[in-house]
Every structure is written in C-alpha cells, then in structure tokens.
Amino acid sequence: MDMDKLVALCRRRGYLFQSSEIYGGLSGFWDYGPLGVELKRNIKDAWWRDMVTAHDDLSAPDGAASTYEMVGLDCSIVMHPQVWKCSGHYDLFHDFMVDCRSSKKRYRHDQVQGRWLQAKGERAFVTVESSSDEVEQIEQRALKFLNLRGKDKDQLQWDGEVTSLTTVSDFTRVLAPDAKELGTLTAPREFNLMFKTTVGALGGAEDAAFLRPETAQGIFVNFKNVLDSTRVRVPFGIAQMGKSFRNEITPRNFTFRSREFEQMEIEFFCHPDTSSQWYRYWRDRRLRWYVELGLAGERLRLREHEASELSHYSTGTADIEYAFPFLPTGQFGELEGISHRGDFDLRSHMEGKLDEKSRPLQLELGPDGKPKWRGSGRDLTYRDELTNERYTPHVIEPSAGADRAALAFLCEAYSEDQAPDEQGAMQLRVVLKLHPRLAPIKAAVFPLVKKDGMPEVAQDIYRQLKRQMPAFYDEKGAIGRRYRRQDEAGTPYCITVDGQSLQDRTVTIRDRDSLEQWRVKIDDCVSEIASRVSGGAR
C-alpha cells in the first residue's frame, strides 16, 4: 500500500490533520478530525467494553488461572515528582542521540547501523538509519561516497559484519545517514524524554513537575485506594485510558511515533505463583482482540522478547506487532506490549527506587548510603482473607496505544478495487474496510431522488438510526457518487429509499465490502443495521 495515499485520504475525509497546520504544523502532534475522532473513540470504547464492562467475572475464560475482576481508573496527567523518581523514569527514561553536522539531522544512537569499509585508502564506518541489516543500502552509500560505479563494487573491502553505531567509538570516521563527508557525527548525548512543567505560581525549582510519560504509575500509586474502596480480591485488573507525553527527539511515520498520544493500559495484579500463567493468558487474549476487529494474516504477529531485550524488571515481554506500510519489507512495528513486571512497581513505591543492575532487585543507595529516592513508606502488600497469606502481588501489563491502533486499523482497511459506476462501467474505487464496530459512520441514508416523497421517508429512517448510532444523510449528487463517498469514509452500510419503498415500505441496504444489496422492511431497518454493526451478521 502507498502510505501517501492513506495520508491524503485521512486529510481529505477528516480523519487526521497536522496540529497547528495553518502555522506550518508542529512536529509530533496530530489532530483528529470529525471522522478520526469517532474512529478513535470507537477503538477505545471497544477496548473498554471488551476488557472491563463486558467482562464476565463469574467464569474463568479459556487459558485463565481462575476467575478475575476488572475495574477502571482515571488518574491525573501531572503527578507528584517522586512518582517518577521511584519508578525509574527520572533516572532512566532517556535516549542517547547523535547529531550530524552535515545534514543537520538527529538520530537515535541505537538505531543507526552500518559496516566498516576499506577502499581507496579510506577506512570508514558507512551507515544507514535502519533497524535491520540493510546491506544493499550500505553498499550503495559507500559506492556513492567513493565515486564508484556498480562494476567497481569489488573494490569495496568490508571489515566485519553489519553492526550498530553503539559499537563504534571513532565518530570521526563515520559516514552518517544523508551526510556528504566523513566525521560529521557528534558523540552520543543523553536526552530526557519527559516533558517538564511547573506547578504553582512562583515557578521555582521546587515547583518542577512532569507530564506523565505513561498511565501505569497512576494505577500503581492507587493500588491501595482501589483495594480499600472496593471488594476486589487478587487476582484483579485495573484499566485506564488517557493521554501520555514523551518528548520524542525524532517523531516520524505519521502518527506512529508522536509526542502526545493516548494509551489503553491494564495492570493485572496476581499471586506470584500463577503470574506466568496469567502472562500467557493476557498475551493471547490481547492478540485475539486485534484479530476479532479485523487485523489478521501475515501483517500481524506476536513476538516474544529475547532475554537481551527485556527491561530490568521484566521476566517476560511479548509485543503484538503490525507490518506498517512505511516500514521496509519484512519489518514490524509495535502495537502493544504485554509485560510480566513482577513486583517491581509496588515495591518501588513502597521502598524507593530499585537498582536495575541488582539481581534480585535491591534498593538503590546514594553516596551517603541512604536510599537514592525514598518511597512512600506505605504498605502496598496484599493479605488474602481466605488463606491469611500476605505477599506483594506480581503485575502483568498489557499496554496498548490508541493512536497506533487507529493507524493500524486504517492501514489494514485501506483498499482499492473496481466497482461499477452509474452507467455500469467499472471504475477504480477507494474503500476503507473498517470493522463495523470501529467505523465512524455506521450507516448512510439516501433518497434515490429529491422528490416524490422519498426524502421524507429517508429522513425519518435517518432520525431513527441517529438515536442509536452515528448515521449520515445525503441527497446530493448521483447515487453512485454518494456510495463512493461513503465507501471512502469507511461506512459499512448504505440505505436507499426508492420508488418501490413508497409502494411496499421496503428499502435497499448495500454492503460496503461485498457490494451485495438486499431489501428489508422500513420497520426492520434500524434493527437490521444494529445487528450487523454489533457483529451478529459478520
């Protein structure tokens, strides 16, 4: 799929706009238009309903260790600065970046790869910005740099395998991505990814705070509040949706990497002895959710992290990944991470920041021998009333991005095919094949012509639909063009009132994907659409 076509459609149909576009835009920030806000809301509503409100807490789902309960939370964006110190974000939440003096671009230190080259008396580290071994790209850059042609390729002498910039210490002999000369890279520098803000009117150093980089910590610091105010028992989950902010150095790829984004996170608290089973349950359950809503096939996969990739607190992490069109062939981007976090978070907020280098994790001490960042001192352990056992629960965290999910569903839905126009001639059709649960508009209502009482009947159907779901009324232009406008917007069903409707009180319903048409009674029209939108007929 051509990503430029999807971006153009999103702007044309009101799915997504560049933030502050009239002033030239602001990199890493995006605004959702009239259709986009409905799509994103539908994704969040589907997640909340499927994970929280519609969850059956009386029966153990397939793969679960037992029954469990789910509750919700909505925490503030600005929290006490000590939260981020104890969680490790204050010290660890950063990227190492390198700058290219030639191209004036900035790159993540761990995402630049290349090979050592010897040719024409030069030895240099020739790079590309990539997350895989793009040997051909590296060779082409080397040939161009050395003014060699394809037939002179044998003059290149490669020293060692493809490697990353993290293993290179001599930055004066590096040909950076897009650079025209050697030695343009600076040494790696550390950039904190949290947005700093000020709480209070004075604005002194003691008033410094941060916009949250994740929603999870708000759940952990409210763990005891939820226990004390509800009747939940471990195992149980706390779900939260909300905005997070990360000062990404190089936002890119449409909404995939943004500075402001929305998360859908669950912190699932369980007994340490059953945590591995719960990890597998949530990993499989979350993958199934995407499949049920239309992401399937070879573009979606579940990938377990290698030991070297795991966070210091994690004993197991899996990513649900999607092959976004802007990535090189064979590469996948993260949609959601499911992590076994152990007891790291609750211990951190009880005791203080834990030393990520220690095994098992121990409290990190400062030069004075005292805790570097002191915890709350509150007891966040759990006592089982049935067994009288007291323990610190382990946590399984499925963490999804609403914006990345919206982007993946749009990429998967974008399609081009052939459909007949008003004269029966086949024409190119652009269509968004969104799952009916996610589609911004569920049904559009058309009178075939603007006379003979057809608009009045169509308007009455439209009003009935609007009471239950988002609907659209259109009486302008030829019926074929109206169909195409709705196909491009992702509307799954179109209802047409024609001459026959006035005789037998039936209307035609058209399916967006199959182009199948069938007639139903006007009195059954709303229930027919409602049944199909909820998935009963698909």
Side-chain angles (χ1 to χ4, degrees), residues 51-52 55 57 68-72 232 236-239 266 268 282:
M51 299 299 112
V52 185
H55 166 66
D57 56 9
Y68 65 91
E69 294 181 76
M70 290 293 298
V71 296
V232 294
F236 73 95
I238 302 177
I266 294 170
F268 188 80
W282 279 109

Side-chain angles (χ1 to χ4, degrees), residues 120-134:
K120 299 176 68 173
E122 292 279 5
R123 184 176 187 271
F125 188 70
V126 183
T127 72
V128 293
E129 187 183 12
S130 174
S131 58
S132 68
D133 301 345
E134 300 290 348

Side-chain angles (χ1 to χ4, degrees), residues 232-488:
V232 294
R233 298 181 63 251
V234 172
F236 73 95
I238 302 177
Q240 180 175 205
M241 295 186 295
K243 288 291 185 73
S244 296
F245 304 83
R246 297 183 183 182
N247 196 13
E248 296 283 355
I249 307 302
T250 53
R252 66 188 64 193
N253 293 331
F254 205 17
T255 59
F256 181 78
R257 189 176 297 281
S258 303
R259 292 183 168 117
E260 177 182 339
F261 54 96
E262 196 155 7
Q263 290 182 289
M264 306 181 296
E265 291 195 302
I266 294 170
E267 304 304 329
F268 188 80
F269 302 92
C270 57
H271 192 285
D273 293 345
T274 58
S275 59
S276 295
Q277 185 176 350
W278 283 115
Y279 167 68
R280 292 190 295 271
Y281 165 76
W282 279 109
R283 180 195 63 189
D284 299 341
R285 174 70 186 96
R286 291 301 305 141
L287 177 65
R288 190 165 67 250
W289 186 79
Y290 289 100
V291 174
E292 290 168 351
L293 289 175
L295 291 187
E298 61 184 13
R299 289 184 293 275
L300 185 72
R301 74 177 186 183
L302 179 72
R303 184 182 69 85
E304 286 281 353
H305 281 207
E306 301 290 340
S308 60
E309 298 179 86
L310 295 176
S311 301
H312 61 274
Y313 54 75
S314 179
T315 58
T317 296
D319 283 345
I320 297 172
E321 298 178 329
Y322 181 74
F324 289 95
F326 48 75
L327 297 174
T329 302
Q331 290 192 28
F332 291 75
E334 181 186 347
L335 264 183
E336 177 169 346
I338 301 91
S339 177
H340 188 316
R341 299 175 70 105
D343 61 3
F344 168 80
D345 300 283
L346 294 180
R347 279 190 59 198
S348 296
H349 291 300
M350 281 194 291
E351 305 169 20
K353 182 180 181 296
L354 301 177
D355 185 355
E356 66 276 4
K357 301 182 182 66
S358 61
R359 295 292 184 275
L361 291 170
Q362 302 292 328
L363 192 64
E364 183 173 350
L365 304 178
D368 57 0
K370 297 180 180 180
K372 181 177 182 181
W373 303 119
R374 190 177 299 278
S376 67
R378 299 288 183 89
D379 183 4
L380 301 182
T381 60
Y382 173 77
R383 184 179 72 84
D384 191 319
E385 295 179 353
L386 300 180
T387 65
N388 208 34
E389 180 185 7
R390 183 173 290 278
Y391 58 91
T392 303
H394 279 202
V395 174
I396 311 301
E397 179 192 73
S399 178
D403 303 275
R404 287 193 179 183
L407 180 58
F409 284 121
L410 284 169
C411 290
E412 185 74 13
Y414 184 92
S415 178
E416 295 180 357
D417 59 20
Q418 297 287 323
D421 61 13
E422 294 81 2
Q423 287 74 41
M426 300 301 290
Q427 299 289 338
L428 178 68
R429 181 180 73 134
V430 176
V431 55
L432 281 181
K433 296 184 177 181
L434 292 165
H435 190 285
R437 287 185 70 190
L438 304 183
I441 302 169
K442 308 304 183 187
V445 185
F446 309 144
L448 185 61
V449 294
K450 293 193 292 183
K451 60 182 180 179
D452 300 333
M454 295 182 201
E456 289 76 11
V457 174
Q459 289 167 14
D460 184 56
I461 295 172
Y462 166 72
R463 293 187 183 101
Q464 293 181 51
L465 278 170
K466 282 282 281 186
R467 297 189 186 105
Q468 296 194 29
M469 67 192 74
F472 188 81
Y473 178 82
D474 191 1
E475 60 181 25
K476 298 177 182 178
I479 191 68
R481 286 195 290 273
R482 282 181 272 172
Y483 282 148
R484 288 176 182 275
R485 286 197 291 265
Q486 294 306 310
D487 291 342
E488 198 173 62

Side-chain angles (χ1 to χ4, degrees), residues 68-352:
Y68 65 91
E69 294 181 76
M70 290 293 298
V71 296
L73 204 61
D74 186 3
C75 304
S76 61
I77 289 174
V78 178
M79 304 176 69
H80 195 289
Q82 199 70 9
V83 169
W84 308 113
K85 293 177 180 179
C86 290
S87 70
H89 287 81
Y90 188 82
D91 292 336
L92 302 174
F93 200 64
H94 54 71
D95 279 338
F96 282 96
M97 310 297 295
V98 291
D99 294 314
C100 178
R101 299 186 183 94
S102 174
S103 64
K104 309 301 181 184
K105 292 185 178 181
R106 180 169 287 164
Y107 306 94
R108 272 184 53 174
H109 182 231
D110 61 345
Q111 290 186 351
V112 178
Q113 299 193 352
R115 295 184 73 176
W116 283 105
L117 160 74
Q118 294 187 43
K120 299 176 68 173
E122 292 279 5
R123 184 176 187 271
F125 188 70
V126 183
T127 72
V128 293
E129 187 183 12
S130 174
S131 58
S132 68
D133 301 345
E134 300 290 348
V135 179
E136 185 175 347
Q137 290 185 41
I138 298 172
E139 290 181 346
Q140 291 302 316
R141 296 206 67 234
L143 290 170
K144 183 177 180 180
F145 170 67
L146 295 168
N147 296 317
L148 299 175
R149 301 182 183 274
K151 60 183 177 61
D152 301 319
K153 184 176 178 180
D154 57 351
Q155 296 186 39
L156 302 177
Q157 298 178 25
W158 299 107
D159 183 8
E161 297 299 320
V162 175
T163 185
S164 69
L165 192 59
T166 57
T167 63
V168 178
S169 58
D170 184 6
F171 286 90
T172 63
R173 309 303 298 168
V174 176
L175 180 62
D178 301 321
K180 299 179 180 179
E181 56 183 321
L182 286 176
T184 62
L185 281 184
T186 64
R189 292 185 294 165
E190 186 177 340
F191 289 84
N192 194 293
L193 299 182
M194 287 196 293
F195 276 100
K196 198 171 185 178
T197 187
T198 301
V199 176
L202 296 180
E206 66 279 5
D207 299 320
F210 301 93
L211 303 185
R212 67 184 181 194
E214 65 175 29
T215 67
Q217 298 306 316
I219 298 177
F220 296 128
V221 299
N222 276 292
F223 171 72
K224 197 69 172 177
N225 290 334
V226 172
L227 278 180
D228 293 344
S229 61
T230 66
R231 299 179 62 187
V232 294
R233 298 181 63 251
V234 172
F236 73 95
I238 302 177
Q240 180 175 205
M241 295 186 295
K243 288 291 185 73
S244 296
F245 304 83
R246 297 183 183 182
N247 196 13
E248 296 283 355
I249 307 302
T250 53
R252 66 188 64 193
N253 293 331
F254 205 17
T255 59
F256 181 78
R257 189 176 297 281
S258 303
R259 292 183 168 117
E260 177 182 339
F261 54 96
E262 196 155 7
Q263 290 182 289
M264 306 181 296
E265 291 195 302
I266 294 170
E267 304 304 329
F268 188 80
F269 302 92
C270 57
H271 192 285
D273 293 345
T274 58
S275 59
S276 295
Q277 185 176 350
W278 283 115
Y279 167 68
R280 292 190 295 271
Y281 165 76
W282 279 109
R283 180 195 63 189
D284 299 341
R285 174 70 186 96
R286 291 301 305 141
L287 177 65
R288 190 165 67 250
W289 186 79
Y290 289 100
V291 174
E292 290 168 351
L293 289 175
L295 291 187
E298 61 184 13
R299 289 184 293 275
L300 185 72
R301 74 177 186 183
L302 179 72
R303 184 182 69 85
E304 286 281 353
H305 281 207
E306 301 290 340
S308 60
E309 298 179 86
L310 295 176
S311 301
H312 61 274
Y313 54 75
S314 179
T315 58
T317 296
D319 283 345
I320 297 172
E321 298 178 329
Y322 181 74
F324 289 95
F326 48 75
L327 297 174
T329 302
Q331 290 192 28
F332 291 75
E334 181 186 347
L335 264 183
E336 177 169 346
I338 301 91
S339 177
H340 188 316
R341 299 175 70 105
D343 61 3
F344 168 80
D345 300 283
L346 294 180
R347 279 190 59 198
S348 296
H349 291 300
M350 281 194 291
E351 305 169 20

